[in-house]
Amino acid sequence: MVGSGAVLSVWLIEEINMERGYWIKSKPVYTSLKWHEKATSHLVLATGIGGMAVLKLFQQMHPTQPVKVLYGKYGQMDADYSDTLKMVVPEGLHIHKFDDALLTQFQLELRDAQMGLRIYVAGSEGFIWDVVAAAKPFGIQEMEIMKEQADTLARSVYCVHCKTISKYVTTNITACCGCERMLFVRDHFSRNLGAYMGLMVDAESPGELPAIEEIYP
Amino acid sequence: MSTINVKVAAIEAVTPLIKHFTLVHEDGSELPSFSGGSHIVVTMDAEGRTYRNPYSLMGSPTDTQAYHISVRRQESSRGGSLFMHEHVHVGMRLKITHPVNLFSLSKLAHKHILIAGGIGITPFMSQIEDLKRVGADYELHYAFRAYEQAAFVNELEEMCEGHLHCYADSQGERIDLNALLSQQPLGSHVYVCGPSPMVVAVLETARNLGWPENNIHNEEFSSPPVGEPFKVQLAKSDIEIQVPAEMSMLEAIEAAGVKADSLCRGGVCGRCELTVLETDGGIEHHDHYLSDSEKVSCRSIMPCVSRTKGKRLVLDL
Ligand code: FES
């Protein structure tokens, strides 16, 4: 048994629409990384299994322009490509244990960078949008950053009620880490927040919840 | 499109070839406000024909008492600029469109690099007012033939203080685009307005240096080129129109009383796009709107600036 009312209908409609191949425009589409032919330098960021996307980039070629690679050893999935990367990228590779340190270095690099620098990122969606957010103060627009989604499909979920973002949500319904409301994870994505909208699911009949399933492993 | 009736309040010869016109509302009321980089289209009723030419507004966007435009006398082109130079006098009434901005400053930019060639300086004059008001970082690079023929250098020096860089061709001065565009901080945007070769050079240099498309802005300052006369058949209206050498196809269509959409009248906005049903000589695309592959396909034409090389053209209008 599920709840009733307006809130419920949102996710019902969404589920039906998804079945029919409906595509929500705000949902980002990611690509496979590929070098920009025209650039004066390249900056590649990746974590965990995203390291494979970096290796694939270097399979394409070693660009003539200067390249820097910032790699975070630990993504969500257990896959550390540090050793291989060290062999493939002899120069300009920086390995970090924590994403925070990686993002700090990223911003330091941007401070002195000039137009012509192209940015590439591979990792979980959460990591990708952390990078986007870190680049924004430097006047870099989201669409200028090439993005490959690797690693978990877990979503960052923005609670429309208390405005808290819960990170790495793998289920269709989740408890908001700010207000503990049960949120339905929508497909509607905000590029500014780097998160999917979360809407209270049992507003009208508290406690009556649809089955919680892991759909973003 | 709704028009505004204005009166010419003053005319000043800025250089032997450039005249500056001050336009005020016919009834003395305020004109609509605009943002830097906007243009208006001036309708001129010459004997026997109507010209509609776009001109950038170069006054301060905060001044709604008067609009300022500058017109360069273009001997070789069609009559619009000649009409403005020879027939427009103080006190004369003209019709203008509401200002439209197809060359606006990016709000996300951290630094603005403005590059002007000749009369292409005009849109930047209103933009500089905007930039100064918000305290934005900018550089203005202004290239012209010779100091004697360059418009507004003194005004600009005063307005821009240290931000102005001038280049006189007669003294062998050139903008080193590669040097200029390879040393700009992240978040820079480049804007260019001037003759075609200059616009192309700036676009190419910026792209080759890896500037993202979003950071590159251009307003080509070209009036419709003169070409060979040809006939155009409008399939839906079922009429045939003769397009004279010195008239644009859009003007000829309008003169025939057929309603056609337009906005920039300079091949930039895409509003006037028409579907080509038939052509016997290929199309001379002069616009900056269609992609290269669209141009090759000859399925669309921008009648405000483009023509056909052949004798006959059939359009879906
Ligand atoms: S009116 Fe803008 S492209 Fe023709």
Side-chain angles (χ1 to χ4, degrees), chain A residues 9-72:
Chain A
S9 52
V10 168
W11 70 260
L12 260 186
I13 289 166
E14 216 154 82
E15 268 193 353
I16 291 161
N17 284 337
M18 277 173 65
E19 267 172 33
R20 300 202 176 162
Y22 180 82
W23 170 56
I24 290 193
K25 265 214 204 95
S26 65
K27 201 170 150 186
V29 174
Y30 304 99
T31 58
S32 302
L33 297 189
K34 188 171 161 283
W35 295 114
H36 283 281
E37 264 170 58
K38 293 178 176 163
T40 44
S41 59
H42 308 269
L43 183 54
V44 187
L45 303 101
T47 56
I49 206 162
M52 180 55 97
V54 182
L55 293 172
K56 283 194 274 181
L57 257 182
F58 282 90
Q59 288 278 311
Q60 288 165 25
M61 66 164 178
H62 282 251
T64 49
Q65 304 90 351
V67 184
K68 259 191 194 157
V69 178
L70 313 188
Y71 181 63

Side-chain angles (χ1 to χ4, degrees), chain A residues 38-40 110-111 113-118 136-141 143-144, chain B residues 108 110 181-189 207-212 214-215:
Chain A
K38 293 178 176 163
T40 44
L110 293 184
R111 219 178 44 195
Q114 293 186 317
M115 290 301 289
L117 170 79
R118 303 305 312 233
K136 205 174 168 190
F138 296 86
I140 297 168
Q141 287 166 265
M143 55 273 209
E144 293 165 31
Chain B
L108 301 169
H110 284 204
L181 298 179
S182 58
Q183 287 151 23
Q184 295 302 340
L186 285 183
S188 297
H189 284 239
R207 283 180 189 139
N208 283 336
L209 289 169
W211 285 56
N214 279 318
N215 297 46

